[in-house]
Each structure stands twice: as structure tokens, then as C-alpha cells.
Amino acid sequence: MRTEPYDNKDGRKCWLSRDETEMLLKKASDDGIEHEIALSLGVRCGMRASEIITVMPRNIDEHDQVGARLEIEGDVAKSDRPREVPLPMELKYAIRAHTDDHAPDEPIVSVTTTKTIERWVERAAERCQAETGNSRWRFVEPHDLRRTWGTQLVEQEVEPGLIMEWGGWEDWKTFRKHYLGAYSPEMERKQIEKVRWL
């Protein structure tokens, strides 16, 4: 896990590796599928906590040409525009199974406050810390899931302009400063392998 201090508040920004992402989701699932879905919406779709608590089954759109998408109406507090992000098939099926008896306009996650999402992330991170002994888990917050999502997409060589569109970022400077502050060890290894003399 990479961390970096915030400029204007206590705590640290965190970027999870792929293995750490899987561990966090597994620990969230210990509390049930709804917890796993909520954290997956953050780390697999780049959603903010305020968006996680409002997304509904009707926001899932099946695109014939590009696969399933999740329509995110945007965070009014962030003056964010609506956007569509790819919805991983596994997450789509989990949501469908979980919301089988939901109305199309009933939120996928049954909580109404972002504080609950914060507690769910904190609880899963505490379990990760207990298992690994890595004290940096105590810094992980819901927004770190979105940060991790953006960075992992870059590491998989997804076009940055497309990531910015999916995430709702309008300028490269903000995207780079706040979301790509650290690359994973996997990314560093991959880049070093490209240069023979390193």
C-alpha cells in the first residue's frame, strides 16, 4: 500500500495494490454481500460514498457494443456531471442477485448516510490490519477506493482521457495530483522491465 500525507488535514491518502483490493473486498464480505457490493462500487467503479448510497438497479445499462455500464448521476456537492462507467460482470451479477426483489428506483445499498459507508470501510480495513499487521490500513477511507480505482486503471494502461471521463474529472492537473500520487510496486516493476539497463 502506498500512502502520502494530505496537504490540509490529518491522515493519509492511500492507494491499494490489486492484492490489497481483493483482501479488503473479502473482509467486507464477512459482513454480507451488501457490504462487499458497496465497497466494490467504490473500488471497481470509482464511485464516491455519496454516490454509492444513491445508485439504483435502474442505473445499470446494458450496452450491446461495450458491455454493462453503471450510470452515475453525479455528486451535486462536487458539481459533478453525470457519467457512465464500465460495470464489471461479476459485480453486475452480484447486484442483480442482491436486488432481485428491489424496485428499479430503490437504492442498491440500503443505508442512507455516507457515515455508514465510512464505518464499513473502516471495519473491513481493521480486519485487513489484524491479518497483515500493516498499520497503514488504519488510514483507508472510502475515497481511497476511488483513488485506487483510477490508479489501477492507469496501471492497466487504460487511456487516461477515458479514465477522466469515467471518473468525471475535467482537468488533468486535478486528476494527476489527487488520484495518481503513487504507483503500485507492480506498476514500478512493469515499467522497469521495459528498460533493459535498469
Side-chain angles (χ1 to χ4, degrees):
M1 178 185 313
R2 296 292 179 99
T3 68
E4 157 183 316
Y6 284 106
D7 294 336
N8 55 2
K9 69 174 188 173
D10 291 338
R12 299 182 74 82
K13 300 175 192 175
C14 300
W15 291 264
L16 306 179
S17 70
R18 285 183 294 227
D19 289 343
E20 289 163 340
T21 298
E22 293 302 325
M23 176 183 281
L24 185 72
L25 293 176
K26 183 176 183 328
K27 297 303 181 187
S29 73
D30 291 348
D31 288 317
I33 189 66
E34 187 173 39
H35 290 239
E36 183 179 1
I37 287 171
L39 272 63
S40 293
L41 288 169
V43 80
R44 297 288 190 229
C45 298
M47 295 181 72
R48 298 177 180 95
S50 59
E51 295 166 338
I52 291 169
I53 62 173
T54 61
V55 70
M56 305 171 209
R58 69 175 169 81
N59 295 120
I60 296 174
D61 188 18
E62 302 286 345
H63 281 262
D64 291 334
Q65 296 177 347
V66 294
R69 297 291 181 121
L70 189 59
E71 296 174 345
I72 301 172
E73 295 173 11
D75 185 335
V76 176
K78 295 278 187 179
S79 300
D80 203 17
R81 58 181 165 69
R83 61 194 192 278
E84 290 186 357
V85 298
L87 179 62
M89 294 301 284
E90 186 177 326
L91 180 54
K92 180 184 92 167
Y93 293 136
I95 291 170
R96 291 272 192 231
H98 174 66
T99 61
D100 191 38
D101 59 349
H102 280 52
D105 58 352
E106 183 180 345
I108 291 168
V109 178
S110 64
V111 300
T112 57
T113 69
T114 58
K115 289 288 185 197
T116 302
I117 302 299
E118 290 170 19
R119 283 194 301 273
W120 289 3
V121 170
E122 182 180 337
R123 190 163 42 234
E126 285 172 355
R127 290 178 180 145
C128 293
Q129 181 175 342
E131 183 172 313
T132 65
N134 182 345
S135 63
R136 289 179 287 180
W137 281 104
R138 75 183 186 278
F139 296 115
V140 176
E141 299 176 339
H143 206 75
D144 296 314
L145 306 183
R146 177 171 161 83
R147 190 181 338 274
T148 294
W149 170 78
T151 302
Q152 287 183 3
L153 289 174
V154 168
E155 291 177 353
Q156 293 297 307
E157 300 180 359
V158 174
E159 169 62 40
L162 196 51
I163 299 169
M164 289 174 59
E165 184 177 318
W166 291 340
W169 297 292
E170 294 187 10
D171 69 274
W172 171 251
K173 184 178 177 183
T174 300
F175 177 58
R176 175 72 182 104
K177 180 179 179 186
H178 297 290
Y179 296 91
L180 301 183
Y183 291 104
S184 70
E186 293 96 340
M187 181 62 162
E188 286 187 39
R189 275 193 299 275
K190 187 190 277 188
Q191 297 306 307
I192 287 171
E193 286 170 6
K194 292 179 178 182
V195 182
R196 289 179 148 185
W197 50 268
L198 287 178

